[in-house]
Amino acid sequence: MHTTRRTLLAGLAAVALTPGRAAWAATAMPRPPASLMGAVIRRLPTARKVVALTFNAAWDTSGVDAVLTELRRRRLPATFFPTGAFAKARPAAVRAMAAAHGLGNHSYSHPYFDGLSTQERQREILRADTAIRAAAGTEPLPYFRFPYSSTTTDSVADVNDLGYAAIEFTTDTNGYLGPGRGMTVDRVVERVVAALAPGAIIQMHVGSSTGDGTVLDAQALPRIADTVGAAGYEVVDLRDFLVPAGSAPGK
């Protein structure tokens, strides 16, 4: 049987890797269903015309306000995947995300996981959990997104052993590349259109990897929302794909 995230966190208390809220270990929490475990999830297990909007946060906050404002205006859900380092450096941004949306885990320092040991992977994930929890003041989701989408069978197993589902994406908009590397708002939207399918997971970013403050994903979000809706798709919340605490395994 896989060791749960809660059990591992309790066992690692002696080395100061547990979250700040001691009561968490005793709290019943939703968990990923069996359909989200044991593999890298690049599309949600559904035949419905739904898509999930997700945003990584590892750099600056250039697009945070614009993204949150547009999501709020349209009443759309999203899931944000901050790194622990981002959460520690920019807690106000993470709190703003958590006010209306779910927070996943994108590691602490954004390393390639294929080159890490099991213990190093655990430390990255649990340090991030601690930082995200402290910044947001709320319970992070049991969803992990690999830095660079660099996954292996062993690393996915390590993530699952901590109680997380490995949530990747159907397409990355590549908006993070910026105009300097050939991306435009039009091309961002085109990549979303090309990936539309039941259960598609769209990956975007809230920061500027180029450092110039240009966040094409934030600029493209209104058009993405319009395009998804015009194609008959509904934007769904990844929290809807969790199993309530106390449910029988596999449900």
Side-chain angles (χ1 to χ4, degrees):
M1 177 182 294
H2 287 320
T3 305
T4 65
R5 176 169 53 142
R6 189 182 310 164
T7 301
L8 274 169
L9 285 167
L12 290 170
V15 290
L17 291 181
T18 53
R21 285 186 288 172
W24 178 73
T27 302
M29 299 168 295
R31 56 185 172 77
S35 59
L36 296 184
M37 305 296 272
V40 178
I41 303 302
R42 300 192 181 278
R43 184 173 294 169
L44 296 169
T46 180
R48 295 166 51 212
K49 292 184 71 173
V50 299
V51 300
L53 302 180
T54 67
F55 295 86
N56 294 356
W59 306 311
D60 56 44
T61 60
S62 299
V64 171
D65 289 344
V67 167
L68 290 176
T69 296
E70 187 66 14
L71 293 172
R72 182 169 58 249
R73 184 177 77 83
R74 294 175 179 264
R75 299 183 180 179
L76 293 178
T79 303
F80 291 82
F81 286 84
T83 65
F86 180 94
K88 184 175 181 179
R90 299 168 176 85
V94 173
R95 282 195 299 274
M97 295 170 189
H101 305 282
L103 299 177
N105 185 316
H106 197 34
S107 80
Y108 187 85
S109 64
H110 208 274
Y112 283 96
F113 263 51
D114 51 356
L116 302 182
S117 67
T118 291
Q119 291 72 26
E120 289 169 332
R121 292 167 186 156
Q122 289 177 349
R123 182 174 178 84
E124 276 286 329
I125 295 169
L126 299 180
R127 284 188 70 202
D129 183 275
T130 299
I132 294 166
R133 187 182 305 277
T138 190
E139 182 70 46
L141 300 174
Y143 292 144
F144 180 77
R145 174 164 285 167
F146 282 85
Y148 310 105
S149 196
S150 177
T151 66
T152 64
T153 300
D154 286 345
S155 63
V156 171
D158 288 342
V159 166
N160 289 167
D161 281 347
L162 285 176
Y164 291 83
I167 303 295
E168 291 302 307
F169 49 88
T170 311
T171 191
D172 188 321
T173 64
N174 283 352
Y176 73 93
L177 295 174
R181 296 171 67 183
M183 286 304 296
T184 65
V185 168
D186 285 344
R187 294 190 67 185
V188 166
V189 176
E190 288 167 3
R191 288 182 64 82
V192 174
V193 171
L196 281 180
I201 303 171
I202 310 301
Q203 175 170 280
M204 294 174 276
H205 294 78
V206 296
S208 170
S209 66
T210 59
D212 63 0
T214 300
V215 184
L216 293 179
D217 288 329
Q219 295 175 21
L221 183 56
R223 286 180 54 188
I224 289 172
D226 287 341
T227 300
V228 167
Y233 281 80
E234 175 190 359
V235 176
V236 292
D237 195 327
L238 286 181
R239 288 177 288 194
D240 294 340
F241 288 81
L242 291 174
V243 175
S247 297
K251 297 294 185 181

